[in-house]
Amino acid sequence: SFVSSLIVFQALCNYIVFPHLHYFAKGFGKGIEPRRGYCLTLVIGLACTAIGELNAIAPIISNFFLAAYCLINFSCFHATFARSPGFRPSFKYYNLWLSLVGAILCLAVMFIMNWWTALLTFALILGLYIFIFYRKPDVNWGSSAQAQTYKTALSSAYRLNHVSDHVKNYRPQILVLTGCPSSRPPLTDFTHSITKKIGLLICAHIVKEPITQRMRNAYSRQAYGFLNKRKIKAFYTLIEDECFSRAARALIQSTGIGKMKPNIVFMGWKSNWQEGGIEDIQEYFNVIHEAFDKHLSLGILRLQEGLDYSEYNDIEDVAELPATNGKKARRLSFLKSTEQGEGMTRDPSSAQLSQAESSPETTPPSTPPADRKYSGDVGGNQSGNSNQVARGLSKAIPKDVLSCVNQFQRKQKKGTIDVWWLYDDGGLTMLIPYLLINHAQWSGCKLRVLSLANKKDELEREQRSMAALLNKFRIDYSDVMVIPDITKPPQECSKQDFERIINPWKETDDEKDDSSLITMSEILALKDKTNRHIRLRELLIQHSQDATLVVMTLPMPRKGTCSAPMYMAWLETLTRGMPPFLLVRGNQTSVLTFYS
């Protein structure tokens, strides 16, 4: 016991489990003997002997030994009970129940011998456990608790697979196409606000070039490090494919296990779609169709400041591989990849975005989404107060950018979440804002529900019906507005703005064979829908320009009738120059119920 206990003590000191004890971790000689621990034991032994009354300390020493034997016996029982393949006892007559009986007997003898020293021992052990639990040292001993966690999760997943779906138990399970989560912090934070403590969140990363397994592991470490620092409970998955829509289809089909599979796909708005090629737009459009084809709901988030902040990070500092064969670990740079929305060129440091302080301003300043450049060296050579260095990093980031990065991490300003409930999609358009206002960050916002009416004489009846419906759903709202003049023709200037958007994508005589462009027949066939969306933008500007968040039912693109540039032009018309805008469309499955 004298030698083995000191070796255990030396290991604890070496792992720095407890502070200020690293001095005793040093070993001497070929066997790395804990000589300093021997000296410490000698001092403690002499101090106890100097008391002159060994019977005074004998109960305490005996209780400590019994506590150690009790915990060892219980650990053996628990490791066997958790069915850990790594626990293979060599004792021929070992039995898990015998270990449990031994632990109980040790515990009983502790109290029979001296009850107050037993309580003192328990208090000391409990204090050490609480200290380690909250300190969370960066060590991994492969405890039986980890094996039990896996067994419990696996059993729960099996049981969940046999539970029938019911509208009352609907939960949002989101597959969000973030790229590396730290590349688009606002998109990651926003989706986490929806699933926090109630649903599943999976961050999907599509890499267009082949990567090694080491790089996949480095990506995974960086992603989970970022999620942990921002206290986001989510999973991360990575897939390689040079075709974005094909990779998204694979993710939609294969992500998840049993009943824990995504029922909503989230994407960021492709703010640079007008500068890209028709192939990129078609890929983005195909992902929208893939989600609807697989009967999943879809959400698209647009921020005027953009979502991609990877340009403010050092790509060289993302991952560091462990040493191999005694050689110094070499640094690994991530491959550049392109994702949906803005092109992801570099991966930001998780610590940089998570530890950076948010600006005290409640509303981030509006900057052009396609041009987020600043004069001077972004790496930290700027002077003045316009930049702020994130703790632990040398890289400086403009304060207004930090404000945008962390805008969904802080409490939102008091205002309204305007819900434009245009179509019956099963109620998801209404459920997501309700989930948001139940969180502390959005508690200062009130729901304002807006719907459309074709005739003015139906205005009062539609408003009463909408209010009664929301009351049946038990959704707290501040106001219900029914807007009657949706059929009114849009203004000429609004039509001209839309024409400027679609002009580069119109089919010309030289492009007759390109079916992905906007044809004159399509413009004529979709004239009424186009005018409706243009008119809807005018109403949005009139009623929701000052909202904290706008949530609107996503228009459904019809295959074969609406081209990708036309559909993108519709969405651009609706969301351009507006507050944070969420377009969402359910899969016609009811997610709201009258019954509690």
Side-chain angles (χ1 to χ4, degrees), residues 207 209-216 219 238-240 335:
V207 178
E209 299 180 30
I211 58 175
T212 64
Q213 185 60 39
R214 286 179 126 189
M215 297 183 70
R216 293 179 70 93
Y219 267 124
L238 183 147
I239 189 171
E240 305 168 35
L335 290 175

Side-chain angles (χ1 to χ4, degrees), residues 260-327:
M260 298 184 66
K261 303 186 76 170
N263 51 27
I264 305 175
V265 176
F266 251 84
M267 298 193 298
W269 171 248
K270 188 175 179 61
S271 60
N272 62 348
W273 71 275
Q274 296 183 76
E275 286 80 33
I278 188 64
E279 296 82 7
D280 293 336
I281 300 176
Q282 193 64 45
E283 288 285 296
Y284 188 85
F285 187 60
N286 289 342
V287 175
I288 296 175
H289 277 301
E290 285 295 336
F292 290 136
D293 289 345
K294 301 302 181 292
H295 299 284
L296 298 180
S297 304
L298 179 68
I300 299 176
L301 178 67
R302 176 170 189 176
L303 305 181
Q304 299 309 313
E305 299 82 14
L307 294 169
D308 187 0
Y309 292 90
S310 56
E311 60 189 282
Y312 297 104
N313 176 65
D314 259 334
I315 186 173
E316 300 296 333
D317 294 335
V318 171
E320 187 169 329
L321 296 179
T324 305
N325 298 329
K327 298 180 180 179

